[in-house]
Amino acid sequence: MLILGIETSCDETGVALYDSEKGLLAHALFSQIDMHADYGGVVPELASRDHVRKLLPLCDQVLADAGKTRSQIEGIAYTAGPGLIGALMVGGAVAHSLAFALGVPVLGVHHMEGHLLAPMLEPEPPAFPFVALLVSGGHTQLVLVKGIGEYEMLGESVDDAAGEAFDKTAKMLGLDYPGGPRVAALAEKGTPGRYKFPRPMTDRPGLDFSFSGLKTFTLNTVTAAEKAGELDDQTRADIALAFEAAVVDTLVIKCRRALEQTHSKRLVIAGGVSANKRLRAGLEAMTDRKQAKVFYARPEFCTDNGAMIAYAGCQRLLAGQQDGDRIVSVPRWPMNTLPPVSEVRSNGLVD
């Protein structure tokens, strides 16, 4: 089955073509980072308008790269949520319009399920079941994955997500958008041990996360250094390193607990923050000690992309699930409400 995947949940327009037998054929991505950088973050209206401009040209580009035509498309998947409502509606409207014109099924896909399944695009994908750490600007979650749609929430952030904390720390340090990669780059120049930041919620049992206190601790540290006249480039780098180390250690500790609690030997890490080199190194060291294995997508599939939506959509479309005539746009959408693929009804209705 040849599936066109469309991702427009936030500030990146992603399109991909996935073949259920041959795998990923082509993908393309346009990032709006330069446009939003002038505002210090994503402007929803501008994001929606840019998706309108870029989406159809990217669809044509991907088809040309794969040597396919629109008439060969057998199904369309798009991001239905979570995300910015305007951006979601652009992707949904284009997907449904194309599907109607081509007479093929169309399905709205959960954005985080796409991230969770992105490692399945790699040559050596993880086998079910596994523990997944979903860590991005909007989500920090630990999930036990028994199959596609079979998700047990083990823990999640009770306030800020890890990626959000990275972005806010970047602003405190005077760094440009996007904050996460810039904090990580600055941390490479930091002096280890100059600052010691707390590892939130690691001194108590459980798998939930909290990063708001760490964000406040960072702000107080920056403010104190500024008042003392010590907030030079090296101090900023030292604070960035201390902050990044605290986030990474917290995530690693919680992942270790999740593996122990579930007796799992497979850990998947997905989402934008999964590209962080220090986090990958920490998780690999931890899983080596636990005689477990960590899986993650290649860097271009850690951030938002059309390939993960095409893959996730393909699995559900093959099971018979589809939207019907209604466009689905869900800004807030708990992932554990998704129906298991094994139980999708043949008529394709979504509960």
Side-chain angles (χ1 to χ4, degrees):
M1 192 175 193
L2 187 63
I3 303 299
L4 179 72
I6 294 173
E7 156 61 23
T8 61
S9 65
C10 191
D11 62 338
E12 289 167 320
T13 313
V15 178
L17 204 61
Y18 182 85
D19 188 298
S20 58
E21 296 181 357
K22 299 178 181 179
L24 183 65
L25 302 183
H27 66 96
L29 183 74
F30 180 82
S31 176
Q32 302 173 4
I33 285 177
D34 290 343
M35 177 177 65
H36 295 293
D38 292 339
Y39 303 92
V42 177
V43 181
E45 177 64 18
L46 295 181
S48 302
R49 290 176 181 271
D50 209 50
H51 288 312
V52 172
R53 286 190 289 266
K54 299 298 192 304
L55 190 48
L56 283 176
L58 280 180
C59 289
D60 291 338
Q61 177 186 329
V62 165
L63 286 166
D65 291 344
K68 301 292 184 180
T69 63
R70 288 188 185 182
S71 62
Q72 292 176 283
I73 296 172
E74 298 173 276
I76 299 176
Y78 65 96
T79 300
L84 303 175
I85 184 60
L88 294 172
M89 291 178 68
V90 172
V94 171
H96 271 261
S97 298
L98 286 173
F100 179 79
L102 298 172
V104 299
V106 59
L107 177 66
V109 172
H110 195 289
H111 180 74
M112 295 310 295
E113 181 173 65
H115 274 304
L116 187 151
L117 297 177
M120 297 297 186
L121 293 163
E122 300 305 313
E124 296 184 11
F128 298 113
F130 56 78
V131 170
L133 171 66
L134 300 178
V135 55
S136 66
H139 299 80
T140 302
Q141 300 172 328
L142 276 167
V143 185
L144 176 60
V145 181
K146 300 176 183 178
I148 298 178
E150 299 179 57
Y151 308 132
E152 178 185 339
M153 193 65 62
L154 301 174
E156 59 188 331
S157 180
V158 299
D159 41 57
D160 290 353
E164 183 181 1
F166 265 101
D167 289 339
K168 290 179 179 178
T169 294
K171 289 185 177 181
M172 297 175 201
L173 295 173
L175 302 176
D176 292 333
Y177 172 85
R182 299 188 188 280
V183 170
L186 183 60
E188 293 295 323
K189 304 174 184 178
T191 304
R194 180 178 175 186
Y195 293 101
K196 177 67 174 178
F197 281 22
R199 276 56 175 164
M201 294 185 72
T202 58
D203 59 349
R204 66 189 77 174
L207 297 175
D208 284 335
F209 303 89
S210 172
F211 293 105
S212 63
L214 181 60
K215 179 187 65 179
T216 302
F217 191 94
T218 304
L219 177 61
N220 290 339
T221 303
V222 170
T223 301
E226 192 171 27
K227 287 181 178 179
E230 299 174 353
L231 194 59
D232 54 16
D233 290 344
Q234 185 58 53
T235 297
R236 286 188 173 89
D238 295 344
I239 293 173
L241 175 59
F243 168 80
E244 183 184 50
V247 172
V248 167
D249 285 352
T250 300
L251 294 173
V252 170
I253 290 169
K254 296 289 186 172
C255 285
R256 174 179 55 78
R257 289 181 185 176
L259 291 176
E260 293 172 350
Q261 178 177 311
T262 60
H263 306 289
S264 177
K265 293 296 183 180
R266 289 181 290 272
L267 174 68
V268 163
I269 173 174
V273 182
S274 69
N276 183 280
K277 294 179 181 179
R278 194 178 302 274
L279 176 58
R280 289 193 175 201
L283 289 174
E284 287 176 357
M286 181 272 290
T287 51
D288 283 346
R289 292 193 298 270
K290 301 292 293 182
Q291 296 184 323
K293 187 173 182 179
V294 61
F295 300 82
Y296 36 72
R298 69 196 78 168
E300 62 262 41
F301 294 158
C302 290
T303 54
D304 297 349
N305 63 88
M308 67 183 192
I309 301 304
Y311 177 84
C314 183
Q315 309 313 307
R316 290 187 172 276
L317 285 164
L318 285 171
Q321 187 176 343
Q322 55 184 285
D323 284 352
D325 295 332
R326 64 188 181 94
I327 299 174
V328 180
S329 298
V330 190
R332 297 181 181 274
W333 189 4
M335 194 172 65
N336 57 6
T337 62
L338 296 174
V341 164
S342 59
E343 297 177 8
V344 171
R345 296 198 299 268
S346 61
N347 62 11
L349 294 179
V350 182
D351 291 327

